[in-house]
């Protein structure tokens, strides 16, 4: 998969009164590399129509497009890949269905991360790093300690996620993260593009200091 640094997920509950496509387009203008459609509440028909529209928009901006959970919808709209949780269809079954498309897996412990790597995930989500309101079935924060573990032991790309804000992202970067996913901080911002650019500046600074350490 293409190298990436900033990953944004749709979270329509965080921008009432604003259109999802408008908000995600601002994020793309701000420099996000990957956009994931995550919609746990709408009917599959509604999710499909959103996926079609986002697929078109991500193509326009050359941004990687991932669909959460719905493998059939990802295939129907020719998304670049799918993202699955620990309780979703197995990675082996997902790979059989999506072929060489990207598969991302959410992980909350080093055992899950190592298993996802072994089974051929293209990247993993590492989180929730901090307490987050994005998910209803809240998992206890894994803290930056887990980010450090993954940095040391996992070789596939990982994205740190969960409660990450501009005010705490430095801690996550210090633990070794070079890729960040933010939901409410990006889509709930009054300046979506500006917030994305601010995250990227922090990640760029980190890349330079990590390089200096080696």
């Amino acid at each position: 998969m293409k190298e990436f640094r900033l990953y944004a997920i749709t979270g329509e509950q965080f921008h009432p009164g604003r259109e999802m496509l408008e908000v995600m387009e601002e994020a793309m203008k701000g420099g996000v590399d990957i956009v994931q459609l995550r919609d746990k509440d709408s009917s599959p028909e509604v999710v499909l129509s959103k996926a079609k529209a986002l697929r078109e928009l991500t193509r326009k901006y050359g941004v990687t497009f991932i669909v959460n959970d719905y493998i059939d919808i990802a295939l129907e709209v020719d998304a670049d890949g799918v993202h699955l949780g620990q309780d979703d269809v197995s990675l082996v079954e997902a790979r059989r269905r999506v072929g060489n498309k990207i598969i991302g897996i959410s992980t909350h412990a080093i055992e899950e991360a190592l298993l996802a790597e072994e089974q051929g995930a293209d990247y993993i989500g590492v989180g929730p790093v901090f307490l987050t309101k994005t998910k209803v079935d809240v998992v206890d924060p894994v803290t930056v300690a887990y980010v450090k573990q993954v940095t040391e032991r996992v070789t596939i790309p990982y994205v740190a996620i969960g409660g990450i804000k501009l005010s705490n992202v430095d801690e996550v970067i210090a633990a070794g993260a070079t890729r960040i996913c933010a939901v409410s901080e990006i889509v709930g911002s009054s300046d979506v593009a500006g917030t994305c650019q601010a995250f990227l500046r922090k990640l760029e600074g980190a890349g330079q200091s990590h390089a200096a350490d080696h």
Side-chain angles (χ1 to χ4, degrees):
M1 63 186 289
K2 289 193 295 193
E3 187 45 67
F4 67 98
R5 290 177 304 166
L6 189 59
Y7 190 130
I9 297 179
T10 59
E12 293 175 71
Q13 69 271 38
F14 297 114
H15 55 81
R18 298 187 70 195
E19 286 294 321
M20 183 263 287
L21 283 179
E22 173 202 329
V23 171
M24 298 321 287
E25 183 163 23
E26 281 184 34
M28 291 179 227
K29 285 177 177 169
V32 302
D33 307 293
I34 298 187
V35 164
Q36 180 193 125
L37 172 63
R38 181 163 75 194
D39 185 338
K40 304 275 191 187
D41 305 317
S42 302
S43 67
E45 293 75 23
V46 170
V47 176
L48 175 61
S49 71
K50 288 178 184 178
K52 283 178 176 166
L54 261 181
R55 170 72 287 188
E56 222 170 282
L57 194 60
T58 49
R59 278 222 172 96
K60 178 180 161 187
Y61 285 91
V63 169
T64 298
F65 178 48
I66 302 286
V67 174
N68 186 275
D69 290 354
Y70 291 97
I71 293 176
D72 49 345
I73 289 176
L75 291 169
E76 187 166 343
V77 303
D78 193 25
D80 298 300
V82 291
H83 188 92
L84 303 168
Q86 288 293 319
D87 302 327
D88 294 322
V89 61
S90 74
L91 206 160
V92 176
E93 168 64 13
R95 178 62 71 204
R96 189 185 66 73
R97 290 178 63 189
V98 305
N100 60 1
K101 286 186 185 291
I102 296 164
I103 300 178
I105 302 286
S106 295
T107 71
H108 319 295
I110 194 69
E111 297 75 21
E112 293 173 353
L114 293 168
L115 181 63
E117 178 174 44
E118 188 188 314
Q119 291 185 336
D122 295 287
Y123 76 91
I124 55 170
V126 168
V129 182
F130 304 108
L131 201 58
T132 172
K133 295 187 181 72
T134 303
K135 290 196 165 184
V136 184
D137 49 339
V138 178
V139 183
D140 285 336
V142 295
T143 76
V144 291
Y146 177 43
V147 178
K148 280 186 184 143
Q149 273 187 308
V150 172
T151 303
E152 288 161 7
R153 297 183 58 188
V154 175
T155 57
I156 58 172
Y158 77 86
V159 57
I161 181 171
I164 297 176
K165 314 278 182 200
L166 285 168
S167 59
N168 63 21
V169 70
D170 292 338
E171 289 174 62
V172 188
I173 291 169
T178 57
R179 303 172 191 85
I180 295 292
C181 178
V183 188
S184 60
E185 184 81 341
I186 290 177
V187 301
S189 171
S190 55
D191 177 7
V192 174
T195 298
C196 291
Q197 286 158 1
F199 270 119
L200 286 167
R201 279 195 297 275
K202 284 184 177 278
L203 286 163
E204 267 156 28
Q208 286 153 8
S209 64
H210 286 330
D213 292 340
H214 291 296

